[in-house]
Amino acid sequence: MARDPRYDILFEPVKIGPVTAPNRFYQVPHCTGMGWQRPHTLAEMRGVKAEGGWGVVCTEYNSIHPSSDDLPHPSASLWDDSDVRAHSVMTDKVHAHGALAGAELWYGGIRTANMMTREVAMELDSFPNSVGHPFQTRAMDKSDIKTFRHWHRRAALRAKEAEFDIVYVYATHGYLISNFLNPRMNTRGDEYGGSLVNRTRLVRELIEETKDAVGDRCAVAVRFSADEEIGEDGVPIYGERREMFEMLSELPDLWDINIADYSLEMGVSRFVKEAPLEPYMSFVKSVTSKPVVSVGRFTSPDTMVSQVKRGIVDLIGAARPSIADPFLPNKIKEGRIDSIRECIGCNVCYSGDSIGVPIRCTQNPTMGEEWRKGWHPEKIAPKESDSRVLIVGAGPTGLEAARALGERGYDVMLAEARRQLGGRVTAESTLPGMSEYARVRNYREQELQGLPNVEIYRESHLTAEDVFATEPDHVALATGASWRQERFDGETYVSVAAPGTSPEILTPDDIMGGAMPSGPVLVYDEDSYYLGGVIAEHLKLAGHKVALATPADTISDWAGKTSERWRVRTHLMKLGVETIVSHSLASFDGKKATLRCAYSGVKKPIAVASVVMVTQRRPNDALYHELLASVDGQIEKLPFTLKRIGDCEAPAIIAAATYAGHKYARELDASVDRDQPLRHDRIDVGAPSASTPVTGAV
Ligand code: ADP
Ligand code: SF4
């Protein structure tokens, strides 16, 4: 298909200092939970993005010295020659597709406690660690600043040696360099503090020194916040930022602009929609002649074109859209816009770094699996047989299994009990702020339309008899899970209904099905992710008095990993939802819910007419057991292979569902080594040599 000429502008090359980006698609630095620990996994993933058309592909933050170590969050590093070798694997893969590779140099300062290296973190002053560790920083004296500049220069030289094309001075996000700019933090009495000229001195020196070190071949980029903060009215306060920007505007080769509020810049779709940074960017291009890149969870080519044409940016920055669809640029280029797998803004990708594990993505099940499993986002092995596959259930699991099997060329029957496809994402996307979750269904439904070998049977609730009647060779049960009315007390599931009562106890499935509680309501959240808060909001907006209680110490605890917990709680408080933490639900009699403090055991009554239990889910596996019972539990006696997949096997987040569906499709008829299902990316000390003592010999 030909590309729409309206989008031609996105494929113009952009000169960035001594290098030229082949187009305007720019994958900004983003964390991956891999960093220095998993160089092969990382390199393959970045290489796939270059293959998919991203003209620039950057690393995550690279520590420049062991006194800036972020474990358990796995950063990249540029400490020594082994880092140069590791990065070269990535730059080779990126260059192989004609893209530029960028390296972001980083020094954490107040945000790092150096739990791995045990080095003392340096900052412009003696500050408490800002991410909760009981450690303080050492106030840098002038010789420390000199040493720091030396480390930065050395790291830049290593980046050049590793064949990077763009090297960053990272002056935002509350890390060391940005703190020098901050008038409230930087109260130094020397030439690095006080006046605007003094506070910008370090950034200026770093730009100049990086240019001096590597500028003959590499572009020097600066990552910088356009604003100081957001006012009460939501309007950006530029403060001195504009003046600072004017002072530095022509120094670097590229400006990578973001904003002070990370929860907006990296906001979840529930609260933040496409292009949220535009109001902050208004002055930037008028002050510099250098190219500008910024992010905005851009998935619409029309928005991208509009950003460029209206002079907001020169390059379309993306982290999440490039994760959800590494081939987004090529799809626009080839006129395949309908096939773009749009990011849903769930931030599950970010949770990898929060937890210290490799990245995963709700929309793109191959993310992070490119090297260790050899999964490619756009290529899949053709079928190995003429088998017919029946998939029962068209939630995210069943849809992805059907799509990927269809791509492989199998004859697929996809049966869904309801009229609408999508299962849980269809249901959840009707709740406040959640509409973008429907993209999980929309992308797959769209792709299935182009696969004549996949037949979809709607309003087809299958029984065991129906399954046998279709005479399939393989059956995958993707029948999902249902929210329970009970709660798990640590050992077993228990009812919260007070003895002798049958109060109104609802589940999220009831609420998403249209049920409404009859009076004041308690949302009881043991799931601790987003749904409890979303249900509370939904009920509050419907006019109910709502309280949200959780046994965890914070509201939406797991949403801290996706960087949305703070917004969730603020939002609920603004809506007038009462929030109660560290309390489990002991009983409910229809008039009063009794909560118990997790620490003191003290009981707290709360007057409500109804309770919504957002606790655990029960797999919908009755069909599985029915099929097994027909052969006395001897699965090998069935005339087809049988597997539970997704929530039907083990309820989990949506990313686990799309992954399960994809895995099933990849592994059908394939020979998977059950003992070694994936490659292990870690430092290999090598086979023991004859000279290596193997016992306790000294
Ligand atoms: P997952 O997240 O694993 O995809 P969901 O709960 O989102 O699970 O989706 C499961 C889907 O399976 C739902 O759309 C549901 O209507 C459907 N389903 C459940 N049981 C049957 C059945 N026996 N026959 C057909 N469809 C079913
Ligand atoms: Fe987007 Fe969610 Fe994928 Fe991240 S995990 S890229 S937010 S769809």
Short mmCIF file of all heavy atoms in Angstrom, two decimals, residues 266-269 297 299 319-325 341-351 359-364 367 437 439-440 655, ligand 2:
data_model
loop_
_atom_site.label_atom_id
_atom_site.label_comp_id
_atom_site.label_asym_id
_atom_site.label_seq_id
_atom_site.Cartn_x
_atom_site.Cartn_y
_atom_site.Cartn_z
N MET A 266 4.80 11.07 31.78
CA MET A 266 4.78 9.62 31.65
C MET A 266 3.41 9.11 32.12
O MET A 266 3.28 8.01 32.62
CB MET A 266 5.88 9.18 32.59
CG MET A 266 6.60 7.91 32.63
SD MET A 266 6.59 6.86 31.30
CE MET A 266 6.33 5.37 32.20
N GLY A 267 2.39 10.00 32.00
CA GLY A 267 1.09 9.70 32.61
C GLY A 267 0.39 8.49 32.01
O GLY A 267 0.54 8.18 30.84
N VAL A 268 -0.39 7.81 32.85
CA VAL A 268 -1.21 6.71 32.35
C VAL A 268 -2.41 7.29 31.61
O VAL A 268 -2.84 8.40 31.89
CB VAL A 268 -1.68 5.78 33.49
CG1 VAL A 268 -0.54 4.96 34.05
CG2 VAL A 268 -2.38 6.55 34.59
N SER A 269 -2.93 6.51 30.68
CA SER A 269 -4.00 7.03 29.81
C SER A 269 -5.26 7.38 30.60
O SER A 269 -6.07 8.18 30.15
CB SER A 269 -4.34 6.02 28.73
OG SER A 269 -4.82 4.82 29.31
N ARG A 297 3.26 10.34 23.90
CA ARG A 297 2.57 9.06 23.61
C ARG A 297 1.84 9.15 22.27
O ARG A 297 0.67 8.84 22.13
CB ARG A 297 1.63 8.68 24.76
CG ARG A 297 1.47 7.17 24.91
CD ARG A 297 1.01 6.73 26.29
NE ARG A 297 -0.17 7.40 26.73
CZ ARG A 297 -1.41 7.17 26.28
NH1 ARG A 297 -1.63 6.24 25.39
NH2 ARG A 297 -2.43 7.85 26.74
N THR A 299 0.60 8.20 18.84
CA THR A 299 0.33 7.03 18.01
C THR A 299 -0.41 7.43 16.73
O THR A 299 -0.54 6.62 15.82
CB THR A 299 -0.51 5.96 18.75
OG1 THR A 299 -1.70 6.57 19.23
CG2 THR A 299 0.26 5.36 19.92
N ALA A 319 8.72 6.83 23.61
CA ALA A 319 9.21 5.67 24.33
C ALA A 319 8.12 4.61 24.22
O ALA A 319 8.25 3.65 23.45
CB ALA A 319 9.51 6.02 25.78
N ARG A 320 6.98 4.84 24.88
CA ARG A 320 5.93 3.82 24.91
C ARG A 320 5.38 3.44 23.52
O ARG A 320 5.23 2.24 23.26
CB ARG A 320 4.81 4.26 25.87
CG ARG A 320 5.27 4.22 27.32
CD ARG A 320 4.25 4.84 28.26
NE ARG A 320 4.15 6.27 28.10
CZ ARG A 320 3.29 7.06 28.73
NH1 ARG A 320 2.41 6.53 29.56
NH2 ARG A 320 3.28 8.35 28.53
N PRO A 321 5.10 4.40 22.65
CA PRO A 321 4.59 3.95 21.33
C PRO A 321 5.59 3.06 20.59
O PRO A 321 5.19 2.21 19.79
CB PRO A 321 4.36 5.27 20.59
CG PRO A 321 4.10 6.26 21.68
CD PRO A 321 5.02 5.87 22.79
N SER A 322 6.89 3.25 20.88
CA SER A 322 7.89 2.41 20.20
C SER A 322 8.00 1.04 20.86
O SER A 322 8.52 0.10 20.27
CB SER A 322 9.26 3.10 20.23
OG SER A 322 9.84 3.03 21.52
N ILE A 323 7.54 0.95 22.09
CA ILE A 323 7.54 -0.33 22.80
C ILE A 323 6.32 -1.14 22.34
O ILE A 323 6.41 -2.32 22.02
CB ILE A 323 7.49 -0.08 24.33
CG1 ILE A 323 8.78 0.60 24.80
CG2 ILE A 323 7.24 -1.38 25.10
CD1 ILE A 323 8.72 1.18 26.19
N ALA A 324 5.17 -0.47 22.32
CA ALA A 324 3.93 -1.15 21.90
C ALA A 324 4.00 -1.56 20.43
O ALA A 324 3.49 -2.61 20.04
CB ALA A 324 2.73 -0.25 22.13
N ASP A 325 4.63 -0.72 19.61
CA ASP A 325 4.78 -1.08 18.20
C ASP A 325 6.13 -0.64 17.65
O ASP A 325 6.27 0.48 17.15
CB ASP A 325 3.65 -0.50 17.35
CG ASP A 325 3.59 -1.22 16.01
OD1 ASP A 325 4.60 -1.86 15.63
OD2 ASP A 325 2.54 -1.19 15.35
N ARG A 341 -0.15 -1.00 16.36
CA ARG A 341 -0.56 -1.53 17.67
C ARG A 341 -0.39 -0.38 18.66
O ARG A 341 0.70 -0.13 19.17
CB ARG A 341 0.36 -2.71 18.02
CG ARG A 341 -0.20 -3.72 18.96
CD ARG A 341 0.61 -4.99 18.99
NE ARG A 341 2.02 -4.75 18.82
CZ ARG A 341 2.77 -5.27 17.84
NH1 ARG A 341 2.26 -6.10 16.97
NH2 ARG A 341 4.04 -4.98 17.75
N GLU A 342 -1.47 0.33 18.90
CA GLU A 342 -1.37 1.56 19.69
C GLU A 342 -1.18 1.28 21.17
O GLU A 342 -1.90 0.46 21.76
CB GLU A 342 -2.63 2.39 19.50
CG GLU A 342 -2.76 3.03 18.14
CD GLU A 342 -3.96 3.95 18.11
OE1 GLU A 342 -5.08 3.43 18.08
OE2 GLU A 342 -3.77 5.17 18.13
N CYS A 343 -0.24 2.01 21.74
CA CYS A 343 -0.01 1.95 23.19
C CYS A 343 -1.31 2.29 23.92
O CYS A 343 -2.04 3.19 23.51
CB CYS A 343 1.07 2.99 23.52
SG CYS A 343 1.22 3.36 25.26
N ILE A 344 -1.59 1.57 25.01
CA ILE A 344 -2.83 1.86 25.76
C ILE A 344 -2.55 2.74 26.99
O ILE A 344 -3.46 3.02 27.77
CB ILE A 344 -3.57 0.57 26.19
CG1 ILE A 344 -2.79 -0.19 27.29
CG2 ILE A 344 -3.84 -0.32 25.00
CD1 ILE A 344 -3.64 -1.23 28.01
N GLY A 345 -1.28 3.11 27.19
CA GLY A 345 -0.97 3.99 28.33
C GLY A 345 -1.19 3.34 29.68
O GLY A 345 -1.69 3.99 30.60
N CYS A 346 -0.81 2.07 29.81
CA CYS A 346 -1.00 1.38 31.09
C CYS A 346 0.27 1.41 31.95
O CYS A 346 0.23 1.12 33.15
CB CYS A 346 -1.42 -0.06 30.86
SG CYS A 346 -0.17 -1.04 29.97
N ASN A 347 1.40 1.72 31.34
CA ASN A 347 2.70 1.81 32.03
C ASN A 347 3.21 0.49 32.62
O ASN A 347 4.06 0.50 33.52
CB ASN A 347 2.69 2.89 33.11
CG ASN A 347 2.81 4.28 32.51
OD1 ASN A 347 2.81 4.42 31.29
ND2 ASN A 347 2.93 5.29 33.35
N VAL A 348 2.69 -0.61 32.14
CA VAL A 348 3.24 -1.90 32.58
C VAL A 348 4.71 -2.02 32.14
O VAL A 348 5.53 -2.62 32.82
CB VAL A 348 2.37 -3.06 32.05
CG1 VAL A 348 3.13 -4.38 32.05
CG2 VAL A 348 1.12 -3.17 32.91
N CYS A 349 5.04 -1.37 31.02
CA CYS A 349 6.44 -1.37 30.56
C CYS A 349 7.35 -0.77 31.63
O CYS A 349 8.44 -1.28 31.90
CB CYS A 349 6.58 -0.59 29.25
SG CYS A 349 5.72 0.99 29.24
N TYR A 350 6.88 0.28 32.26
CA TYR A 350 7.69 0.97 33.28
C TYR A 350 7.86 0.11 34.53
O TYR A 350 8.85 0.24 35.26
CB TYR A 350 6.97 2.29 33.62
CG TYR A 350 7.70 3.16 34.61
CD1 TYR A 350 8.85 3.84 34.23
CD2 TYR A 350 7.24 3.32 35.91
CE1 TYR A 350 9.52 4.66 35.13
CE2 TYR A 350 7.90 4.13 36.81
CZ TYR A 350 9.04 4.80 36.41
OH TYR A 350 9.70 5.60 37.30
N SER A 351 6.92 -0.79 34.77
CA SER A 351 6.99 -1.62 35.98
C SER A 351 8.23 -2.51 35.96
O SER A 351 8.72 -2.91 37.01
CB SER A 351 5.73 -2.46 36.16
OG SER A 351 5.68 -3.51 35.21
N ILE A 359 11.74 -5.60 30.76
CA ILE A 359 10.51 -4.94 30.30
C ILE A 359 9.51 -5.93 29.71
O ILE A 359 9.89 -6.94 29.13
CB ILE A 359 10.90 -3.86 29.26
CG1 ILE A 359 9.74 -2.94 28.93
CG2 ILE A 359 11.47 -4.49 28.01
CD1 ILE A 359 10.18 -1.72 28.12
N ARG A 360 8.24 -5.62 29.84
CA ARG A 360 7.16 -6.33 29.14
C ARG A 360 6.15 -5.28 28.70
O ARG A 360 6.17 -4.15 29.20
CB ARG A 360 6.49 -7.36 30.04
CG ARG A 360 5.71 -6.79 31.20
CD ARG A 360 5.62 -7.76 32.34
NE ARG A 360 6.95 -8.06 32.82
CZ ARG A 360 7.29 -9.21 33.42
NH1 ARG A 360 6.39 -10.14 33.63
NH2 ARG A 360 8.52 -9.40 33.84
N CYS A 361 5.26 -5.65 27.81
CA CYS A 361 4.28 -4.67 27.29
C CYS A 361 2.94 -5.37 27.11
O CYS A 361 2.86 -6.51 26.65
CB CYS A 361 4.76 -4.11 25.96
SG CYS A 361 3.53 -3.13 25.07
N THR A 362 1.87 -4.67 27.47
CA THR A 362 0.52 -5.22 27.35
C THR A 362 0.14 -5.46 25.89
O THR A 362 -0.40 -6.50 25.54
CB THR A 362 -0.49 -4.24 27.99
OG1 THR A 362 -0.10 -4.04 29.34
CG2 THR A 362 -1.91 -4.76 27.94
N GLN A 363 0.48 -4.49 25.03
CA GLN A 363 0.09 -4.60 23.63
C GLN A 363 1.04 -5.48 22.83
O GLN A 363 0.64 -6.14 21.88
CB GLN A 363 0.04 -3.20 22.98
CG GLN A 363 -1.28 -2.47 23.15
CD GLN A 363 -2.36 -3.01 22.25
OE1 GLN A 363 -2.66 -4.20 22.27
NE2 GLN A 363 -2.98 -2.15 21.48
N ASN A 364 2.32 -5.43 23.18
CA ASN A 364 3.32 -6.13 22.38
C ASN A 364 3.94 -7.29 23.17
O ASN A 364 4.90 -7.09 23.91
CB ASN A 364 4.42 -5.14 21.96
CG ASN A 364 5.56 -5.82 21.22
OD1 ASN A 364 5.46 -6.99 20.85
ND2 ASN A 364 6.63 -5.08 21.02
N MET A 367 7.80 -7.92 23.25
CA MET A 367 8.75 -6.97 23.86
C MET A 367 9.58 -7.66 24.94
O MET A 367 9.03 -8.28 25.86
CB MET A 367 7.95 -5.79 24.44
CG MET A 367 8.72 -4.75 25.19
SD MET A 367 10.22 -4.05 24.44
CE MET A 367 9.77 -3.55 22.81
N TYR A 437 -8.00 1.23 26.88
CA TYR A 437 -7.75 -0.21 27.06
C TYR A 437 -8.40 -1.02 25.94
O TYR A 437 -7.99 -2.14 25.64
CB TYR A 437 -8.22 -0.69 28.44
CG TYR A 437 -7.20 -0.42 29.53
CD1 TYR A 437 -6.61 0.82 29.66
CD2 TYR A 437 -6.82 -1.41 30.42
CE1 TYR A 437 -5.66 1.07 30.64
CE2 TYR A 437 -5.87 -1.17 31.41
CZ TYR A 437 -5.29 0.07 31.51
OH TYR A 437 -4.35 0.32 32.48
N ARG A 439 -8.05 -0.59 22.99
CA ARG A 439 -7.09 -0.76 21.89
C ARG A 439 -6.51 -2.18 21.85
O ARG A 439 -6.07 -2.63 20.79
CB ARG A 439 -5.94 0.24 22.03
CG ARG A 439 -6.36 1.67 21.80
CD ARG A 439 -5.22 2.63 22.07
NE ARG A 439 -5.56 3.97 21.62
CZ ARG A 439 -4.73 5.01 21.69
NH1 ARG A 439 -3.52 4.85 22.21
NH2 ARG A 439 -5.10 6.19 21.25
N VAL A 440 -6.50 -2.86 22.99
CA VAL A 440 -6.00 -4.25 23.02
C VAL A 440 -6.91 -5.10 22.12
O VAL A 440 -6.44 -5.95 21.36
CB VAL A 440 -5.99 -4.80 24.47
CG1 VAL A 440 -5.65 -6.28 24.50
CG2 VAL A 440 -5.01 -4.00 25.32
N ALA A 655 -1.25 -7.82 30.41
CA ALA A 655 0.00 -8.14 29.70
C ALA A 655 0.28 -9.64 29.77
O ALA A 655 0.84 -10.21 28.82
CB ALA A 655 1.17 -7.36 30.31
FE1 SF4 B 2 2.00 1.25 26.21
FE2 SF4 B 2 1.24 -0.30 28.21
FE3 SF4 B 2 2.85 -1.25 26.30
FE4 SF4 B 2 3.79 0.50 28.02
S1 SF4 B 2 3.05 -1.57 28.49
S2 SF4 B 2 4.07 0.54 25.84
S3 SF4 B 2 2.03 1.80 28.36
S4 SF4 B 2 0.74 -0.60 26.07
#
